[in-house]
Amino acid sequence: MLPQALLARLSLAKHVVALTGAGISAESGVPTFRDAQSGLWARYKAEELATPEAFLQNPRLVWNWYAWRRSLTQKAAPNAGHLALVRLQELVPNLTLITQNVDGLHTRAGSRDVLELHGNIETTLCFDEGTRVPAGEYTDDGREPPRCPRCGGLLRPGVVWFGESLPQATLERAERAAATCDALLSIGTSSLVHPAASLPVSAKANRRGALLIEVNPSPTPLTPLVDAALTGRAGDLLPQLVQQLEAIRG
Ligand code: BV8
C-alpha cells in the first residue's frame, strides 16, 4: 500500500503517466518477455527472435513464433491490473498510458489513446515496403510468412524489433509526457529495454520532480530511484491503489 504522504501527492497530481511492461499481462496468461519460453519455443530466447536479422535468416520460424504468441494474446482477457488503469484514467485529470506490450490488452480493457511504443502483434506489415497490410488483403496460401499483395515481399508482424527505431510520433508523445508529468507509475517492466526504460528516469528528473512509483514483484534497475516500490502483482496492487485514491477523493 502507498504511504499516506505519497498517496496525498498522487491524489493532487494533474498529469499521471503509467508505463507498463509484460508483467501487467502475466496474470492474463501472456508469458512475460523474459520468462523462459514454453513448448516448441523453449530452446529460443525472445530477444534472439525479435530482430530483423532473425526474421531474414529464418522468416518461417519468426513468423510462426508470432502466430503462436497471437494465439495466446487473442485468447487472453484483460485482468484486474488493466481494468484498474481504466478506472485511473477516469480518476485523474490527465493519464498518459504508455505500454511496451504488443498484446493490445489495455485497449481491450477500455483504456483510451494508449501509446504502443513497440507496436501491436495484431498488425501486419510488408517487410520491404514497411507499410501495413490489413488482414483481408493477403491470402493465407499456406506460405509462411505470407507475401505482400502489392510487391510480393515477405509479410512481418507490426512490432518494433531490437535494433529498429520506435514509431517517432509515439515516442515523442511518450517523452513529452514523462518530461511534464507530476507522477509516473512503472508497472510490470524489468526496466531493461531502451528507450522505454529511460522514461521513468526523465520523469524523476523533470522540473516538477515527478513522484515515481514502481509496481513489480521483483526489484529492477529502476528500484533504487523510485519514491515507492510496491512489491507484488499488478493485478493485486493497482486495484488497491485505485481504491486508496477513490477513498481520498470521497
Ligand atoms: C532502438 C516488441 C534505436 C517485439 C520489444 C540504450 C542502452 C542500452 C541498449 C539500447 C539503448 N538504446 C537502444 C538499445 C538497444 C535495445 C535495447 O534496449 N536492448 C536492451 C535489451 C539492452 N533497444 C532497441 O533496440 C530499441 N530500438 O532504440 O532503436 C537504436 C537501435 C540500436 C542501438 C541503439 C539505438 C527497440 C526496443 C524494442 C524491442 N521490442 N518488443 C516483441 O514483443 O516481440 S521489447 C520487449 O521487451 C517487449 O516489448 C517487452 O515489453 C519489453 C521489455 O520487457 P518487459 O516488458 O519489461 O518484460 P520482461 O519480461 O523483461 O519483464 C517483466 C517484468 O514484469 C519483470 O520485472 C517481472 O518481475 C514483472 N512481473 C512479472 N509478473 C508480474 C510482474 N509485474 C507486475 N505484476 C505481475 N503479475
Side-chain angles (χ1 to χ4, degrees):
M1 299 297 275
L2 204 57
Q4 282 306 318
L6 296 183
L7 183 65
R9 274 185 65 189
L10 182 60
S11 72
L12 295 173
K14 295 268 180 299
H15 181 191
V16 177
V17 169
L19 169 68
T20 67
I24 197 168
S25 296
E27 294 157 80
S28 296
V30 179
T32 66
F33 207 72
R34 278 161 192 79
D35 271 347
Q37 299 217 90
S38 63
L40 265 181
W41 304 103
R43 75 189 77 152
Y44 302 100
K45 283 184 72 177
E47 298 95 303
E48 288 158 5
L49 292 176
T51 70
E53 296 76 20
F55 179 75
L56 287 175
Q57 193 179 0
N58 195 332
R60 173 197 297 265
L61 177 79
V62 175
W63 175 265
N64 287 338
W65 179 52
Y66 281 92
W68 170 69
R69 287 175 62 195
R70 254 196 307 276
S71 72
L72 295 181
T73 52
Q74 285 168 354
K75 280 201 295 264
N79 64 61
H82 296 105
L83 296 172
L85 292 182
V86 176
R87 179 70 186 120
L88 188 66
Q89 197 155 36
E90 295 157 0
L91 272 179
V92 303
N94 177 13
L95 177 77
T96 302
L97 177 48
I98 305 167
T99 190
Q100 301 170 84
N101 301 338
V102 298
D103 57 32
L105 285 177
H106 283 300
T107 304
R108 280 167 49 197
S111 289
R112 293 181 299 358
D113 194 18
V114 180
L115 300 185
E116 294 181 317
L117 290 181
H118 297 158
N120 189 305
I121 201 167
E122 287 300 325
T123 57
T124 301
L125 309 176
C126 168
F127 185 86
D128 295 335
E129 299 169 326
T131 46
R132 279 189 65 167
V133 180
E137 284 189 18
Y138 63 89
T139 49
D140 211 347
D141 53 10
R143 287 191 292 179
E144 292 160 338
R147 296 303 190 268
C148 172
R150 295 184 291 267
C151 73
L154 296 172
L155 295 190
R156 57 163 287 178
V159 299
V160 178
W161 280 328
F162 287 99
E164 293 186 323
S165 299
L166 278 62
Q168 190 58 35
T170 306
L171 179 57
E172 279 170 7
R173 281 187 62 192
E175 287 171 338
R176 201 163 40 251
T180 56
C181 68
D182 305 300
L184 184 141
L185 310 176
S186 177
I187 304 160
T189 176
S190 56
S191 300
L192 293 172
V193 173
H194 290 267
S198 63
L199 295 171
V201 179
S202 77
K204 183 77 189 162
N206 80 17
R207 65 162 64 107
R208 313 178 77 100
L211 173 64
L212 194 49
I213 297 168
E214 184 174 45
V215 176
N216 198 314
S218 321
T220 73
L222 183 71
T223 309
L225 207 65
V226 302
D227 296 292
L230 304 182
T231 305
R233 306 188 322 169
D236 300 327
L237 292 175
L238 289 179
Q240 288 173 25
L241 185 60
V242 165
Q243 273 157 16
Q244 278 189 298
L245 278 175
E246 285 173 328
I248 273 204
R249 283 174 182 260

